Amino acid sequence: MNKASLLIIAVFLITGISYCQRQPEPMDRGMVAIVQPDGKVYVGWRLFSSDPEDITFDIYRQTEGGQPIRLNEKPLTQTTDFLDASAPLDKVNEWHVRAVKTGKQQASVRLAAKTPAQLYVAIPFKGDYVCSRVAIADLNGDGKYDYIIKQPVQITDPGVWKKSTDTWKVEAYLNDGTFLWRQDLGWNIEQGVWWSPMVAFDFDGDGKAEIALKTAPADKDYRNPDEHEFAGRVMSGPEYCSILDGMTGKELDRVDWPLRGSVADWGDVKNNRASRHLIGAAFLDGKRPSLLVLRGTYTLMRVDAYNLENKKLSKVWSWSGDDETPKVRGQGMHGLHAADIDDDGRDEIILGSAVLDDNGKILWNIGLGHPDACYVTDVLPQRPGLEIMYGIEPRQEKNAICLADARTGQILWGCQHPTTHAHSSGMFGDFDAANPGLEFHTGEKDRSTYWTYAMNGTLLDQEDLGRLNPPLLYWTAAAQKPYALNGRIRFYHGDVTGSYEGTILAVADVLGDWREELITVVPGELRIYTTTIPAIDRRVTLMQDPIYRMDVAMISMGYLYPPQLSYYLKQN
């Protein structure tokens, strides 16, 4: 077991927190086999938090159904991957991993004869379209992650509205590419990231995930008529949160979305601010996941929490920022985080610059306004507790880039220069080899100025990286993260270490060892790019970390915020 895992266990013992109380997520070894351009086959699999510290593995290859042949001379102790340099790729091959002490088979993966060399797993669609979002969850309970997409790809922001030219279709695919179902959301759900957020999670604990999303009636058209001042916009009519069976797409239940009322009450008459919707999940009681349904980012803010019981949604609590004293308005982000920031075993909800306790009461509000960038993790490992890294959008004289204590909201340090519009989700993680610890990169929306900060508040440089939000990911043998941009995975101030095609939709540890996959979309298919760089150590799959898992759940709506860990992942 690695040092980070031991540290987590020690923290749980000291604080008395037991995350094993959380509803477990069945998970297999996530075994993957990738044919490299040189003809070698990279094979990787997961390590679990429940594995004995001294667990070792053997790997076998079985060709054309023949006798399995052990490939390793000594038990594999250092990593959970293997490079097979002698596989006869003109034949069908299957690789098996077994625990040495028990001899029990842990996982297997199969490649067809003449499988081409490609560094990704493909999920083909039912047509030559692309999708705008992907949710990641186990739909059939086999321990493998499946994929729910929303297509086509038209992305319209309510602030720069365009008339929808098609309707959203939600589709579900198993990890082997099997198509399960399609649901057409109809014309009353406009095409844009904020109109129909979705989340996939096992809300009722049966081992199979459900999909929750914003819906509206499909039997009546509520779009404004052509003679209306805001023709084509949906500004009236019922709005629902529907929860669907993951295997069939059938609606299990629906409840009202937080009420729109008069769109002008939200700050404008064009239905911009009233159309800011989010959805998510959190372990509010520390045991089972609750569904979170949100409306409002820039002005009014409302949250409803539900549990799924006997296939029906029951409300846990409702929160309105206007019920607080003083009122909480305009503190939302373009996403959501759920994390236990006060060490009580239950998740809090990081709305942005304000945080709700697990009981639906305001915990704190730093009052800086809407953050475009917001990340929760153990930023400062020498300091107890978690921290939140912010990039604040509204004009500030100082502190638009700041680090806050997650438990109290106290600003630990903030930039001392003015900002006009710190923009987008930024780039956050350990990416600068010359600086110990994590870094954060952001810039002005007009691309006039850029900043890269160390986590002690030191300004490191002001370089333009080409985009304000290239996602970082664990990809190589080290804990330092490269970033993905313009078809290349490259190090900050360094070399290219990988390549990809398509639009990036997600970063998550869905296959193989502890390194992350880059999930993209090209016309006609989802691609799950996975590293084939041999590891130098082994670590527990990141998906068993509580903050990381909830970040992945929330990746299917809002901005892409690459998932973070509840601990500081040190270099080995």
Side-chain angles (χ1 to χ4, degrees), residues 470-501:
L472 294 165
L473 69 161
Y474 294 115
W475 185 261
T476 65
Q480 182 193 347
K481 291 183 174 184
Y483 62 89
L485 179 65
N486 298 331
R488 297 291 183 267
I489 300 173
R490 65 182 311 136
F491 284 108
Y492 183 70
H493 296 162
D495 298 331
V496 172
T497 186
S499 63
Y500 66 93
E501 292 181 317

Side-chain angles (χ1 to χ4, degrees), residues 168-189:
W168 284 126
K169 286 86 175 174
V170 177
E171 298 178 353
Y173 296 84
L174 295 181
N175 62 87
D176 63 0
T178 300
F179 173 76
L180 294 179
W181 51 264
R182 173 186 292 159
Q183 289 285 3
D184 192 320
L185 299 188
W187 288 106
N188 292 320
I189 296 295

Side-chain angles (χ1 to χ4, degrees), residues 203-204 212 241-243 252-256 280 282 284-285 288-293 303-318 358:
F203 286 103
D204 62 2
C241 175
S242 293
I243 192 157
L252 299 175
D253 196 17
R254 71 170 64 162
V255 292
D256 289 335
L284 299 178
D285 64 1
R288 62 180 174 183
S290 297
L291 172 65
L292 307 173
V293 184
V303 183
D304 290 337
Y306 294 90
N307 286 337
L308 183 63
E309 301 172 315
N310 299 318
K311 307 301 181 184
K312 297 294 182 182
L313 291 169
S314 60
K315 185 172 286 187
V316 180
W317 47 254
S318 291
D358 53 83

Side-chain angles (χ1 to χ4, degrees), residues 65-367:
Q67 186 69 22
I69 300 171
R70 192 175 73 176
L71 302 178
N72 54 301
E73 293 182 4
K74 297 180 180 180
L76 302 174
T77 61
Q78 189 69 21
T79 70
T80 54
D81 67 353
F82 186 84
L83 201 59
D84 185 350
S86 59
L89 297 178
D90 59 333
K91 298 180 172 68
V92 175
N93 291 283
E94 190 166 356
W95 289 263
H96 310 275
V97 163
R98 298 178 186 174
V100 172
K101 281 188 175 180
T102 65
K104 183 179 179 181
Q105 183 170 310
Q106 299 289 304
S108 64
V109 62
R110 179 186 176 96
L111 288 182
K114 299 180 181 180
T115 294
Q118 60 186 34
L119 302 182
Y120 60 86
V121 175
I123 307 291
F125 298 153
K126 297 295 285 183
D128 194 32
Y129 43 78
V130 294
C131 59
S132 65
R133 287 294 184 271
V134 61
I136 301 164
D138 181 0
L139 297 178
N140 62 357
D142 65 354
K144 303 177 188 295
Y145 288 113
D146 307 307
Y147 302 93
I148 306 94
I149 68 164
K150 188 167 57 174
Q151 60 93 358
V153 77
Q154 182 185 356
I155 300 297
T156 301
D157 188 292
V160 286
W161 181 85
K162 296 178 183 178
K163 186 176 181 179
S164 297
T165 59
D166 201 347
T167 59
W168 284 126
K169 286 86 175 174
V170 177
E171 298 178 353
Y173 296 84
L174 295 181
N175 62 87
D176 63 0
T178 300
F179 173 76
L180 294 179
W181 51 264
R182 173 186 292 159
Q183 289 285 3
D184 192 320
L185 299 188
W187 288 106
N188 292 320
I189 296 295
E190 298 191 63
Q191 284 194 312
V193 66
W194 308 118
W195 275 290
S196 187
M198 69 175 180
V199 64
F201 212 80
D202 179 12
F203 286 103
D204 62 2
D206 66 354
K208 301 178 182 181
E210 295 79 31
I211 295 92
L213 72 168
K214 185 173 183 288
T215 60
D219 56 353
K220 181 179 179 180
D221 190 344
Y222 285 93
R223 289 176 295 173
N224 288 334
D226 291 342
E227 63 272 15
H228 194 282
E229 180 183 5
F230 303 118
R233 302 190 189 197
V234 179
M235 302 172 68
S236 63
E239 300 172 291
Y240 309 119
C241 175
S242 293
I243 192 157
L244 313 180
D245 179 271
M247 285 297 292
T248 66
K250 178 183 177 181
E251 185 180 65
L252 299 175
D253 196 17
R254 71 170 64 162
V255 292
D256 289 335
W257 200 266
L259 293 179
R260 177 197 299 115
S262 170
V263 297
D265 292 343
W266 297 83
D268 65 81
V269 296
K270 298 180 179 181
N271 204 32
N272 171 16
R273 290 174 175 82
S275 298
R276 302 293 173 157
H277 307 288
L278 297 169
I279 198 167
F283 283 81
L284 299 178
D285 64 1
K287 298 178 181 179
R288 62 180 174 183
S290 297
L291 172 65
L292 307 173
V293 184
L294 298 84
R295 187 181 210 124
T297 298
Y298 298 111
T299 52
L300 301 177
M301 299 176 67
R302 292 174 182 164
V303 183
D304 290 337
Y306 294 90
N307 286 337
L308 183 63
E309 301 172 315
N310 299 318
K311 307 301 181 184
K312 297 294 182 182
L313 291 169
S314 60
K315 185 172 286 187
V316 180
W317 47 254
S318 291
W319 175 83
S320 171
D322 276 15
D323 292 338
E324 300 291 343
T325 305
K327 294 181 179 179
V328 178
R329 287 191 168 199
Q331 306 300 312
M333 61 184 280
H334 292 318
L336 198 63
H337 296 298
D340 177 16
I341 62 177
D342 58 5
D343 289 338
D344 64 358
R346 302 184 292 272
D347 281 342
E348 281 67 51
I349 305 163
I350 295 86
L351 301 174
S353 293
V355 171
L356 291 184
D357 207 346
D358 53 83
N359 59 5
K361 306 295 183 182
I362 194 72
L363 191 63
W364 53 258
N365 176 19
I366 59 175

Side-chain angles (χ1 to χ4, degrees), residues 391-403:
I392 304 295
E393 179 180 299
R395 182 188 298 268
Q396 306 287 335
E397 290 301 313
K398 62 178 183 178
N399 291 339
I401 302 166
C402 65
L403 185 70

